[in-house]
Amino acid sequence: MLSTLGVTAGALAEDQVRVWAFPQGLLVVNADRCVGCQRCEINCTLTNDGCCSSYISRVKVTRNLYSSRNGNGLYTENNWTYFPDTCRQCEDPACGNACPQGAIVAGEDGIRRVDQDKCIGCGACVEACPWHMPTVNPVTKKSSKCVMCGACVEGCPSGALSIVPWDKITAAAQQI
């Protein structure tokens, strides 16, 4: 089944593939394929903010590389470990629960977004998120988080990021 979805068994070694469920399907992150080029971050901010900024990107590679947050970006045995990371769209979102303005809400598609008209840029969402995924833009003073636009996947030259639609997952599961 995994090869049907474009993920080989060899790619699953050492917990290098992570999967998060989203309304449109599964976001598959294969750390073995990530080369740390940051094109996912660039495409994200160009698409969503009209500028190029790793800091405000909704997908995080750079911060993992430099800060080793969550054990990623570690330099070991003459190798860097890169890992694209993004919002998990939690069912019970700590970020949304912590927002004093109620600015993080789920749309009809189930994706939780930051309502820019309500956001006051206090950073409560950033601190509440176990992965610190929301980011307060220092220019606009508003928070943002992944909206599953797919720009990061489109910009990934190595195939480290992909979105597998639910219909493909259902079809693969029926083949078992």
Side-chain angles (χ1 to χ4, degrees):
M1 177 177 87
L2 290 174
S3 60
T4 305
L5 298 177
V7 178
T8 63
L12 296 175
E14 300 179 32
D15 196 31
Q16 292 298 307
V17 174
R18 299 194 181 147
V19 179
W20 295 298
F22 290 99
Q24 329 59 328
L26 294 178
L27 175 65
V28 180
V29 180
N30 185 338
D32 271 347
R33 290 187 172 185
C34 182
V35 297
C37 69
Q38 300 171 274
R39 288 187 188 168
C40 55
E41 293 177 338
I42 292 166
N43 270 20
C44 173
T45 55
L46 285 173
T47 299
N48 292 290
D49 304 297
C51 66
C52 179
S53 171
S54 290
Y55 179 76
I56 62 172
S57 177
R58 289 140 185 89
V59 61
K60 312 291 186 184
V61 174
T62 306
R63 72 133 190 223
N64 289 336
L65 175 62
Y66 295 122
S67 73
S68 298
R69 185 187 308 261
N70 297 328
N72 300 316
L74 300 175
Y75 185 70
T76 56
E77 299 178 28
N78 298 321
N79 271 326
W80 283 104
T81 301
Y82 304 101
F83 186 78
D85 206 2
T86 195
C87 175
R88 276 90 166 148
Q89 295 288 334
C90 302
E91 188 173 332
D92 184 26
C95 62
N97 295 338
C99 179
Q101 301 298 310
I104 299 177
V105 294
E108 289 181 18
D109 57 5
I111 297 172
R112 287 163 184 77
R113 294 176 170 83
V114 178
D115 182 334
Q116 297 296 301
D117 292 333
K118 291 182 179 179
C119 179
I120 58 172
C122 66
C125 56
V126 180
E127 294 305 315
C129 174
W131 303 278
H132 300 283
M133 285 297 139
T135 302
V136 177
N137 184 323
V139 175
T140 65
K141 308 291 189 223
K142 302 287 183 172
S143 184
S144 64
K145 57 190 282 324
C146 179
V147 295
M148 286 300 297
C149 68
C152 58
V153 173
E154 292 170 16
C156 183
S158 65
L161 292 166
S162 59
I163 296 175
V164 181
W166 287 114
D167 59 345
K168 284 191 176 184
I169 294 164
T170 302
Q174 290 173 352
Q175 293 176 2
I176 297 177

mmCIF file of all heavy atoms in Angstrom, residues 5 28 30 34 39 47 67 72 75 77 87-88 124 127 131 135 153 163:
data_model
loop_
_atom_site.group_PDB
_atom_site.id
_atom_site.type_symbol
_atom_site.label_atom_id
_atom_site.label_comp_id
_atom_site.label_asym_id
_atom_site.label_seq_id
_atom_site.Cartn_x
_atom_site.Cartn_y
_atom_site.Cartn_z
ATOM 1 N N LEU A 5 1.127 4.841 -2.574
ATOM 2 C CA LEU A 5 1.003 6.230 -2.172
ATOM 3 C C LEU A 5 2.269 7.021 -2.460
ATOM 4 O O LEU A 5 2.356 8.195 -2.140
ATOM 5 C CB LEU A 5 0.689 6.318 -0.675
ATOM 6 C CG LEU A 5 -0.614 5.672 -0.228
ATOM 7 C CD1 LEU A 5 -0.748 5.761 1.275
ATOM 8 C CD2 LEU A 5 -1.796 6.310 -0.917
ATOM 9 N N VAL A 28 2.666 14.439 3.613
ATOM 10 C CA VAL A 28 3.753 13.496 3.857
ATOM 11 C C VAL A 28 5.057 14.275 3.830
ATOM 12 O O VAL A 28 5.343 14.994 2.871
ATOM 13 C CB VAL A 28 3.776 12.374 2.784
ATOM 14 C CG1 VAL A 28 4.918 11.394 3.052
ATOM 15 C CG2 VAL A 28 2.435 11.643 2.761
ATOM 16 N N ASN A 30 9.071 13.675 4.144
ATOM 17 C CA ASN A 30 10.141 12.686 4.123
ATOM 18 C C ASN A 30 11.465 13.401 4.387
ATOM 19 O O ASN A 30 12.050 14.010 3.486
ATOM 20 C CB ASN A 30 10.167 11.979 2.773
ATOM 21 C CG ASN A 30 11.177 10.853 2.727
ATOM 22 O OD1 ASN A 30 12.123 10.827 3.515
ATOM 23 N ND2 ASN A 30 10.979 9.934 1.802
ATOM 24 N N CYS A 34 14.792 15.741 2.210
ATOM 25 C CA CYS A 34 14.982 17.180 2.403
ATOM 26 C C CYS A 34 16.458 17.532 2.297
ATOM 27 O O CYS A 34 17.302 16.955 2.979
ATOM 28 C CB CYS A 34 14.425 17.611 3.747
ATOM 29 S SG CYS A 34 14.562 19.399 4.029
ATOM 30 N N ARG A 39 13.290 26.160 -0.330
ATOM 31 C CA ARG A 39 12.333 26.578 -1.359
ATOM 32 C C ARG A 39 10.902 26.484 -0.863
ATOM 33 O O ARG A 39 10.052 27.263 -1.274
ATOM 34 C CB ARG A 39 12.520 25.758 -2.630
ATOM 35 C CG ARG A 39 13.777 26.124 -3.363
ATOM 36 C CD ARG A 39 13.872 25.439 -4.694
ATOM 37 N NE ARG A 39 15.197 25.668 -5.281
ATOM 38 C CZ ARG A 39 15.652 25.019 -6.311
ATOM 39 N NH1 ARG A 39 14.910 24.092 -6.892
ATOM 40 N NH2 ARG A 39 16.846 25.280 -6.777
ATOM 41 N N THR A 47 3.684 33.129 -1.835
ATOM 42 C CA THR A 47 2.268 32.869 -2.092
ATOM 43 C C THR A 47 1.365 33.574 -1.088
ATOM 44 O O THR A 47 0.358 34.170 -1.457
ATOM 45 C CB THR A 47 1.989 31.349 -2.057
ATOM 46 O OG1 THR A 47 2.769 30.721 -3.076
ATOM 47 C CG2 THR A 47 0.522 31.040 -2.273
ATOM 48 N N SER A 67 18.268 26.132 15.299
ATOM 49 C CA SER A 67 17.960 26.073 16.727
ATOM 50 C C SER A 67 17.879 24.674 17.294
ATOM 51 O O SER A 67 17.825 24.499 18.494
ATOM 52 C CB SER A 67 16.631 26.782 17.009
ATOM 53 O OG SER A 67 15.555 25.999 16.534
ATOM 54 N N ASN A 72 15.531 18.559 15.725
ATOM 55 C CA ASN A 72 15.802 18.593 14.289
ATOM 56 C C ASN A 72 16.915 19.580 13.985
ATOM 57 O O ASN A 72 17.181 20.488 14.746
ATOM 58 C CB ASN A 72 14.540 19.006 13.521
ATOM 59 C CG ASN A 72 13.413 18.037 13.764
ATOM 60 O OD1 ASN A 72 13.621 16.838 13.749
ATOM 61 N ND2 ASN A 72 12.232 18.547 14.029
ATOM 62 N N TYR A 75 23.601 18.675 13.799
ATOM 63 C CA TYR A 75 24.792 18.333 13.043
ATOM 64 C C TYR A 75 25.450 17.144 13.726
ATOM 65 O O TYR A 75 25.945 17.250 14.839
ATOM 66 C CB TYR A 75 25.754 19.520 12.992
ATOM 67 C CG TYR A 75 26.960 19.269 12.122
ATOM 68 C CD1 TYR A 75 26.823 19.197 10.744
ATOM 69 C CD2 TYR A 75 28.214 19.110 12.681
ATOM 70 C CE1 TYR A 75 27.919 18.977 9.940
ATOM 71 C CE2 TYR A 75 29.319 18.893 11.879
ATOM 72 C CZ TYR A 75 29.167 18.823 10.502
ATOM 73 O OH TYR A 75 30.255 18.597 9.703
ATOM 74 N N GLU A 77 27.828 13.455 12.922
ATOM 75 C CA GLU A 77 28.599 12.605 12.025
ATOM 76 C C GLU A 77 28.770 13.233 10.635
ATOM 77 O O GLU A 77 28.523 12.613 9.621
ATOM 78 C CB GLU A 77 27.955 11.233 11.903
ATOM 79 C CG GLU A 77 27.880 10.491 13.221
ATOM 80 C CD GLU A 77 27.196 9.148 13.092
ATOM 81 O OE1 GLU A 77 27.247 8.556 12.001
ATOM 82 O OE2 GLU A 77 26.607 8.716 14.082
ATOM 83 N N CYS A 87 2.245 23.300 10.722
ATOM 84 C CA CYS A 87 1.084 23.167 11.591
ATOM 85 C C CYS A 87 0.418 21.803 11.396
ATOM 86 O O CYS A 87 0.269 21.332 10.276
ATOM 87 C CB CYS A 87 0.089 24.286 11.277
ATOM 88 S SG CYS A 87 -1.454 24.167 12.180
ATOM 89 N N ARG A 88 0.016 21.203 12.486
ATOM 90 C CA ARG A 88 -0.656 19.898 12.437
ATOM 91 C C ARG A 88 -2.174 20.023 12.327
ATOM 92 O O ARG A 88 -2.873 19.024 12.272
ATOM 93 C CB ARG A 88 -0.327 19.086 13.688
ATOM 94 C CG ARG A 88 0.974 18.336 13.583
ATOM 95 C CD ARG A 88 2.071 19.180 14.081
ATOM 96 N NE ARG A 88 3.283 18.406 14.316
ATOM 97 C CZ ARG A 88 4.475 18.914 14.153
ATOM 98 N NH1 ARG A 88 4.635 20.142 13.736
ATOM 99 N NH2 ARG A 88 5.535 18.208 14.408
ATOM 100 N N ALA A 124 0.334 34.761 21.937
ATOM 101 C CA ALA A 124 -0.176 33.694 22.805
ATOM 102 C C ALA A 124 -0.296 32.378 22.046
ATOM 103 O O ALA A 124 -0.027 31.309 22.600
ATOM 104 C CB ALA A 124 -1.534 34.092 23.395
ATOM 105 N N GLU A 127 3.206 30.653 21.786
ATOM 106 C CA GLU A 127 3.627 30.032 23.048
ATOM 107 C C GLU A 127 2.799 28.809 23.400
ATOM 108 O O GLU A 127 3.308 27.857 23.982
ATOM 109 C CB GLU A 127 3.582 31.060 24.179
ATOM 110 C CG GLU A 127 4.594 32.169 24.020
ATOM 111 C CD GLU A 127 6.023 31.650 23.854
ATOM 112 O OE1 GLU A 127 6.441 30.740 24.608
ATOM 113 O OE2 GLU A 127 6.720 32.139 22.944
ATOM 114 N N TRP A 131 4.533 22.987 19.156
ATOM 115 C CA TRP A 131 5.591 23.038 18.143
ATOM 116 C C TRP A 131 5.956 24.468 17.750
ATOM 117 O O TRP A 131 6.778 24.679 16.873
ATOM 118 C CB TRP A 131 5.159 22.244 16.903
ATOM 119 C CG TRP A 131 4.833 20.837 17.261
ATOM 120 C CD1 TRP A 131 5.712 19.805 17.435
ATOM 121 C CD2 TRP A 131 3.537 20.304 17.515
ATOM 122 N NE1 TRP A 131 5.043 18.673 17.790
ATOM 123 C CE2 TRP A 131 3.694 18.943 17.852
ATOM 124 C CE3 TRP A 131 2.250 20.839 17.518
ATOM 125 C CZ2 TRP A 131 2.625 18.107 18.161
ATOM 126 C CZ3 TRP A 131 1.187 20.006 17.836
ATOM 127 C CH2 TRP A 131 1.381 18.666 18.147
ATOM 128 N N THR A 135 3.469 32.116 13.702
ATOM 129 C CA THR A 135 4.546 33.104 13.742
ATOM 130 C C THR A 135 3.940 34.494 13.664
ATOM 131 O O THR A 135 3.086 34.750 12.814
ATOM 132 C CB THR A 135 5.506 32.909 12.545
ATOM 133 O OG1 THR A 135 6.032 31.580 12.585
ATOM 134 C CG2 THR A 135 6.645 33.899 12.583
ATOM 135 N N VAL A 153 4.699 22.345 -1.103
ATOM 136 C CA VAL A 153 4.828 21.102 -1.861
ATOM 137 C C VAL A 153 5.239 21.402 -3.296
ATOM 138 O O VAL A 153 6.134 20.760 -3.848
ATOM 139 C CB VAL A 153 3.497 20.311 -1.828
ATOM 140 C CG1 VAL A 153 3.552 19.106 -2.752
ATOM 141 C CG2 VAL A 153 3.169 19.888 -0.403
ATOM 142 N N ILE A 163 1.406 16.000 -0.834
ATOM 143 C CA ILE A 163 0.054 15.861 -0.295
ATOM 144 C C ILE A 163 -0.601 14.715 -1.052
ATOM 145 O O ILE A 163 -0.679 14.728 -2.281
ATOM 146 C CB ILE A 163 -0.775 17.152 -0.456
ATOM 147 C CG1 ILE A 163 -0.146 18.283 0.361
ATOM 148 C CG2 ILE A 163 -2.221 16.909 -0.008
ATOM 149 C CD1 ILE A 163 -0.809 19.629 0.183
#
